[in-house]
Amino acid sequence: MTDCLFCKIIAGDIPAEKLYEDDEVLAFRDIAPQAPVHFLVIPKKHIVDPAGVSEEDEKLIGKLMRIGSQIAAEEGVGDGFRIIYNNGAKAGQAVFHIHMHILGGKERPWPM
Ligand code: 5GP
Ligand code: ZN
């Protein structure tokens, strides 16, 4: 999608600090980190949000979990990190290309 920020990052039109890339998945650091380690893992396929994941995308979305966990370990936070997906503006979603946030590097209280 030409007007999608993350599709532009995928296309290389907007720079990002990439942590991982293959033909299906891209991971890059969040521009406004909310933790010492904060990066995003996205499918290259433009899917709007978690609610927009179709049956055919299930394997791809599972791959985000596997790759994201590997990167978290490489970033030194494999023993404790949080995964967040915001779905919809009401939940704080600002970029409408599905993305997995991974946050780590400080204590994350639970319940929030
Ligand atoms: P959302 O609020 O949609 O769940 O998360 C969007 C995330 O994308 C935010 O954490 C925001 O800081 C990040 N972000 C927005 N624009 C850019 C950008 O141009 N580059 C990078 N690397 N991250 C961005
Ligand atoms: Zn997109």
Side-chain angles (χ1 to χ4, degrees):
M1 277 189 63
T2 49
D3 61 344
C4 169
L5 175 66
F6 287 172
C7 282
K8 286 178 182 162
I9 287 177
I10 291 163
D13 296 339
I14 293 175
E17 193 179 337
K18 294 179 184 177
L19 296 172
Y20 175 90
E21 182 167 21
D22 66 23
D23 57 335
E24 293 180 316
V25 173
L26 178 66
F28 53 97
R29 292 196 198 282
D30 196 291
I31 204 167
Q34 296 182 43
V37 174
H38 182 182
F39 61 91
L40 306 173
V41 191
I42 66 173
K44 289 191 169 177
K45 179 178 179 181
H46 182 88
I47 299 167
V48 172
D49 56 22
V53 174
S54 65
E55 220 173 317
E56 71 173 48
D57 298 326
E58 286 175 354
K59 199 173 172 191
L60 174 62
I61 297 304
K63 183 174 175 179
L64 303 188
M65 194 77 69
R66 180 173 66 78
I67 299 297
S69 298
Q70 279 176 12
I71 298 167
E74 287 163 14
E75 290 288 309
V77 298
D79 62 340
F81 57 90
R82 182 162 297 164
I83 290 175
I84 292 175
Y85 281 94
N86 293 323
N87 190 101
K90 245 180 154 173
Q93 187 177 5
V95 179
F96 291 87
H97 180 129
I98 191 171
H99 49 281
M100 187 172 79
H101 293 260
I102 293 195
L103 302 122
K106 69 173 185 189
E107 291 293 319
R108 307 233 135 235
W110 187 263
M112 281 162 62

